[in-house]
Amino acid sequence: FGPQRIVRVHRALGVTTLDELEAAARDGRLLTVSGFGARTVETLLQAIATFREQRKRIPRYLAESVAAGAAHGLRQMAGLGEREVVVTGAMRRLCECVEEIELLAQAESAREVVDAFERLPLFREVVESGPQGALAVTRERYPVRLHVVAPGEWGPALQRTTGSAAHNTQLEERAAAAPP
């Protein structure tokens, strides 16, 4: 979808935004513009969907700095050590893009850690809050999820929060099938 097509669509339909372009493709108006057939419109709709899905993901280079800042701030505000707060989830699996940044903390008082997390200045708003964790959104709209566990639950929690959903399901199936 190059500059010439953009100009053609704008002149013919007055389209100026991605939402308007998608609406024109869905309601058939785009088919009235020269050079747009059914296959081109379908390809365009798929490209828009892919773009929107990728836009929800955070590139690793951006997520790393946010995660490091959140982990450091949480350690400072909750009085936790280096080994008591770690980055987990897709970032720990070294994925290139993540949907959310996840932290795992261990503490005797989960509520105090959750309260400290919610007060971190890098957050725009707290979306969810509970006794064992919270979800907050940064000013850049990156979601950061905190899981808090008691020290004795650290190992299983680290595995559960780091593993992908498919991996965790496979582990559960293997554990269920294993002889007692």
Side-chain angles (χ1 to χ4, degrees):
F1 203 78
Q4 290 177 345
R5 281 192 170 173
I6 291 171
V7 169
R8 203 174 320 138
V9 169
H10 176 69
R11 286 184 180 154
L13 304 175
V15 169
T16 59
T17 68
L18 186 62
D19 290 337
E20 290 174 357
L21 178 62
E22 183 177 25
R26 290 198 186 282
D27 66 19
R29 288 180 291 142
L30 203 53
L31 292 171
T32 65
V33 178
S34 171
F36 285 89
R39 188 179 309 175
T40 304
V41 171
E42 184 59 36
T43 301
L44 176 65
L45 287 170
Q46 289 172 356
I48 290 171
T50 300
F51 171 76
R52 287 204 165 122
E53 188 60 35
Q54 288 176 344
R55 193 169 53 177
K56 294 177 186 175
R57 301 179 67 75
I58 310 162
R60 183 172 185 81
Y61 75 94
L62 293 173
E64 282 179 339
S65 64
V66 173
H72 177 75
L74 185 58
R75 287 183 194 110
Q76 296 297 311
M77 291 185 73
L80 298 172
E82 192 75 25
R83 302 180 116 212
E84 293 172 309
V85 178
V86 297
V87 175
T88 187
M91 288 192 61
R92 189 173 180 93
R93 294 192 312 269
L94 302 177
C95 295
E96 288 300 315
C97 291
V98 299
E99 290 182 22
E100 70 180 9
I101 298 160
E102 292 185 77
L103 301 176
L104 176 64
Q106 65 176 335
E108 294 296 332
S109 173
R111 188 72 247 170
E112 289 178 18
V113 175
V114 171
D115 289 344
F117 176 79
E118 292 173 356
R119 290 192 315 269
L120 290 176
L122 82 122
F123 296 132
R124 162 182 272 195
E125 68 176 312
V126 175
V127 179
E128 298 172 10
S129 181
Q132 299 302 121
L135 174 65
V137 178
T138 66
R139 284 181 235 102
E140 299 84 9
R141 301 194 189 277
Y142 300 146
V144 181
R145 184 175 301 277
L146 172 69
H147 308 274
V148 185
V149 297
E153 300 170 12
W154 181 257
L158 184 59
Q159 184 285 314
R160 185 181 64 253
T161 59
T162 299
S164 67
H167 176 73
N168 288 338
T169 299
Q170 285 180 345
L171 284 178
E172 290 170 11
E173 289 170 356
R174 283 186 176 183

